Amino acid sequence: MNKQIRQNIAFTVFRLLSLAVVGILFWILGFITYKGIGVISWQFLTTAPTDGMTAGGIFPAIVGTLCLIAGSAAVAFPLGILSAIYTSEYAGDGKVVRFIRIMTNNLAGIPSIVFGLFGMSLFVNTMGFGDSIIAGSLTLGLLTMPLVIRTTEEALKAIPDTFRQGSYALGASKLQTVSRIVLPAAFPNIITGLILSVGRISGETAPILFTVAAYFLPQLPDSIYSQVMALPYHLYVIAVSGTDLEATRPMAYGTALVLIAIVLIINVSASIIRKKLSKRYA
Amino acid sequence: MLETININFWYGAFHALKDISMKIERNTVTAFIGPSGCGKSTFLRLFNRMNDLIPDTHLTGECLIDGKNIYSKTVDVTGLRKNVGMVFQKPNPFPKTIYDNVAYGLRVDGESNRGLIARRVEESLKSAALWDEVKDKLKKSAFELSGGQQQRLCIARALAISPSVILMDEPASALDPVSTSKIEDLIHTLKRDYTIVIVTHNMQQAARISDRTGFFMLGELIEFNDTKKVFLNPDREETQNYITGRFG
Ligand SMILES: Nc1ncnc2c1ncn2[C@@H]1O[C@H](COP(=O)(O)OP(=O)(O)OP(=O)(O)O)[C@@H](O)[C@H]1O
Ligand SMILES: [Mg+2]
């Protein structure tokens, strides 16, 4: 068989496989949309559940999820970014850094339910926050930290050393070089990484299960010490442990649709922001 | 005036510079030539201590600028680099506007007077023979410039902080002939105000632009003389062989 033909066959296979992936993605989206779109209404989005959660809307869960996204971002971003800056710009490549990196990767591999248990034991009980937005945000924040660190590190590593050298050669200090050259240049990629990582945690159920999520709580949170409902947990509840599963099935799909929509909006805005930012100088 | 006394330099265990002593006068252009890997760039980077950034290196000997040892413990490296500018082989403008590129050195030096910065930016771009080409797009990204313009921008950037010495490591090797001759003309005029040390692989370029030429081989300074002498009547056979293209 000649080279050309073999190459064509290989490419065709690759193309079919990637189409299959896209196909599955659209299938899931289409399925959830088809099943869930019927219950989506202004009222569904803006009111609390009623009648033992067989009717009404999911507003408290939407608010809760948004609170958790913001809260975990507030925890994970500063810590994750600073530690990435430290390991990639300051710490060199010694034993300590390699150890930190390995541990970060291991952290990323820990199942989220374990984070949930840890968060319950540390934040809810030991630190006495109780089931609360702050306990949930800290837990989710820890969970995303490895991802934030990794993507930030990669964004920093992608900045060519020639920029740094140019800056040093002009008499800039390390701090100036990092803050005025490296970070701004890495910013679009850092932001993208950050947004994608919050997108990913917004669907996590296990870490919020024992730290913040309320089964049914129609009123909105009034402080970071309040408990909240959250979309993933609400979805779980009405899908498997509600009072009338058959009746709430469409609501479960509607909830899933809203959750997916939030994640999609987050991801799309990430790529828009990134495009905007990198256009500025490219 | 730049002076080195018995400089030895190691990358790890690799002895990259061997016992090099030389004196470079003010307001001259000095060219370093020699085969690839002979240590020209390493030697050049001594003068603004850029080698400090490379881990696991070691230096003995003295390196003086205007009589002061720039490797003594009391020297402020950032201050040294403000006095000794550097232009790299590949143009490396920052991902910022043309204006901000030139203003960068002043700003990191703590200068906040906008009028003064604007004046220095204009002067530097004029000195680098770039002003006319960019004066209408100072707020555009530096990446919109051609390679040759980017390199002149890097020269302007170095000039903006008023150094007395400018180090250039093959500044024209990535450029087309027209841009190259612009850089060469520029070096010629800059000589009036600056001491220039340039590494080049281009023999004609070294002959055209420099007053003195140093020939390096395998980490040693083989010969350091007036450029005319090096090219017409070198003292050492190795030099003769190198410039006529016969190696080894
Ligand atoms: N960062 C480094 N780590 C280890 N060895 C290095 C490093 N930089 C340079 N060397 C070695 O030191 C020697 C001198 O390198 P240098 O870059 O100074 O040569 P050069 O004369 O500038 O060469 P070229 O003309 O190719 O630019 C070479 O053998 C090189 O392999
Ligand atoms: Mg070199």
Side-chain angles (χ1 to χ4, degrees):
Chain A
M1 203 163 41
N2 84 26
K3 238 182 177 167
Q4 187 64 43
I5 296 178
R6 253 187 303 177
Q7 179 167 316
N8 285 343
I9 291 177
F11 281 165
T12 310
V13 171
F14 293 161
R15 196 170 302 135
L16 286 177
L17 286 177
S18 41
L19 282 178
V21 172
V22 176
I24 291 171
L25 185 66
F26 272 101
W27 188 9
I28 296 175
L29 287 180
F31 179 73
I32 300 287
T33 310
Y34 169 72
K35 294 278 205 171
I37 195 79
V39 300
I40 301 288
S41 67
W42 186 243
Q43 189 230 356
F44 183 70
L45 295 176
T46 57
T47 62
T50 52
D51 301 300
M53 295 204 281
T54 56
I58 55 168
F59 186 57
I62 294 178
V63 171
T65 285
L66 294 179
C67 286
L68 289 174
I69 289 178
S72 54
V75 172
F77 291 1
L79 286 174
I81 293 174
L82 288 178
S83 91
I85 291 175
Y86 173 74
T87 53
S88 105
E89 298 294 321
Y90 281 87
D93 211 22
K95 280 213 179 82
V96 180
V97 174
R98 251 173 291 161
F99 179 72
I100 293 179
R101 205 158 284 146
I102 290 172
M103 290 320 284
T104 317
N105 286 345
N106 283 340
L107 206 58
I110 294 177
S112 58
I113 185 83
V114 178
F115 275 93
L117 281 173
F118 175 77
M120 174 175 73
S121 141
L122 180 63
F123 304 126
V124 176
N125 297 332
T126 309
M127 295 174 74
F129 292 135
D131 277 3
S132 60
I133 293 179
I134 181 164
S137 298
L138 286 167
T139 310
L140 284 173
L142 282 186
L143 179 69
T144 35
M145 194 90 73
L147 196 59
V148 171
I149 294 178
R150 193 108 56 83
T151 51
T152 307
E153 270 191 333
E154 266 157 35
L156 294 173
K157 288 254 147 46
I159 303 305
D161 258 343
T162 54
F163 288 170
R164 297 181 180 85
Q165 287 162 4
S167 171
Y168 289 129
L170 289 165
S173 66
K174 181 143 207 166
L175 183 60
Q176 287 171 327
T177 301
V178 170
S179 64
R180 299 185 191 208
I181 301 292
V182 181
L183 280 180
F187 193 62
N189 281 336
I190 294 180
I191 284 287
T192 317
L194 295 182
I195 298 179
L196 291 179
S197 54
V198 285
R200 252 189 50 187
I201 48 166
S202 57
E204 285 285 349
T205 314
I208 58 174
L209 201 54
F210 323 120
T211 55
V212 50
Y215 181 83
F216 174 66
L217 186 66
Q219 65 268 44
L220 298 181
D222 50 21
S223 81
I224 55 171
Y225 300 106
S226 311
Q227 242 189 316
V228 283
M229 295 179 77
L231 288 172
Y233 182 54
H234 182 64
L235 174 56
Y236 168 79
V237 166
I238 56 178
V240 303
S241 73
T243 43
D244 184 355
L245 290 184
E246 278 318 306
T248 52
R249 197 65 85 204
M251 290 182 67
Y253 283 114
T255 308
L257 185 57
V258 171
L259 185 55
I260 290 179
I262 290 179
V263 175
L264 273 183
I265 289 171
I266 289 175
N267 288 6
V268 169
S269 51
S271 51
I272 292 175
I273 289 175
R274 176 203 162 88
K275 274 226 181 72
K276 277 246 167 71
L277 286 176
S278 32
K279 237 210 222 119
R280 275 224 311 252
Y281 295 119
Chain B
M1 199 187 67
L2 311 180
E3 182 174 6
T4 66
I5 305 169
N6 302 113
I7 285 284
N8 283 278
F9 187 86
W10 289 265
Y11 290 107
F14 176 70
H15 197 175
L17 297 176
K18 298 170 186 162
D19 218 29
I20 298 182
S21 300
M22 76 157 53
K23 277 187 185 171
I24 295 173
E25 297 299 328
R26 255 177 197 291
N27 298 358
T28 57
V29 176
T30 302
F32 293 162
I33 59 172
S36 195
C38 66
K40 307 177 295 290
S41 300
T42 306
F43 188 66
L44 191 74
R45 287 195 301 261
L46 284 178
F47 294 104
N48 63 346
R49 292 187 57 168
M50 285 297 273
N51 286 331
D52 292 16
L53 301 175
I54 305 171
D56 196 22
T57 57
H58 177 62
L59 171 79
T60 64
E62 281 181 65
C63 183
L64 312 173
I65 293 184
D66 295 327
K68 268 194 297 202
N69 185 352
I70 59 170
Y71 282 87
S72 96
K73 288 228 158 51
T74 54
V75 165
D76 162 32
V77 180
T78 59
L80 167 73
R81 291 185 183 140
K82 279 161 193 157
N83 184 39
V84 183
M86 185 165 210
V87 178
F88 297 81
Q89 176 168 3
K90 252 187 75 196
N92 61 345
F94 301 130
K96 295 178 179 296
T97 63
I98 294 171
Y99 187 94
D100 287 342
N101 261 275
V102 185
Y104 183 76
L106 294 165
R107 288 182 176 147
V108 297
D109 195 25
E111 183 58 66
S112 55
N113 181 332
R114 282 156 183 259
L116 187 145
I117 292 178
R119 267 198 310 283
R120 284 299 300 155
V121 168
E122 181 172 341
E123 283 166 17
S124 310
L125 286 168
K126 280 179 174 159
S127 305
L130 190 59
W131 176 252
D132 290 333
E133 291 157 66
V134 302
K135 62 173 187 281
D136 299 322
K137 48 178 181 179
L138 293 173
K139 296 289 168 202
K140 288 271 170 63
S141 163
F143 292 163
E144 288 180 20
L145 300 176
S146 73
Q149 289 173 324
Q150 288 187 9
Q151 194 61 305
R152 277 178 285 145
L153 179 68
C154 292
I155 294 176
R157 188 173 78 180
L159 298 180
I161 45 176
S162 321
S164 62
V165 181
I166 301 175
L167 310 172
M168 300 185 173
D169 195 348
E170 304 185 45
S173 68
L175 306 181
D176 65 283
V178 176
S179 307
T180 301
S181 79
K182 278 189 184 157
I183 301 269
E184 288 183 11
D185 293 345
L186 183 57
I187 290 171
H188 211 77
T189 47
L190 290 175
K191 188 171 100 172
R192 240 179 295 140
D193 303 309
Y194 306 90
T195 307
I196 297 174
V197 188
I198 178 172
V199 173
T200 177
H201 273 284
N202 180 330
M203 296 300 121
Q204 287 84 11
Q205 185 172 65
R208 275 194 303 266
I209 61 176
S210 70
D211 305 301
R212 308 258 295 161
T213 296
F215 171 61
F216 289 77
M217 217 167 90
L218 297 172
E220 288 180 71
L221 179 60
I222 304 292
E223 176 160 0
F224 184 48
N225 248 320
D226 286 346
T227 297
K228 274 217 183 71
K229 176 147 175 59
V230 169
F231 282 93
L232 297 178
N233 180 24
D235 286 335
R236 300 278 298 257
E237 202 185 326
E238 297 97 316
T239 318
Q240 178 72 29
N241 288 345
Y242 182 71
I243 58 178
T244 55
R246 269 172 292 147
F247 287 89

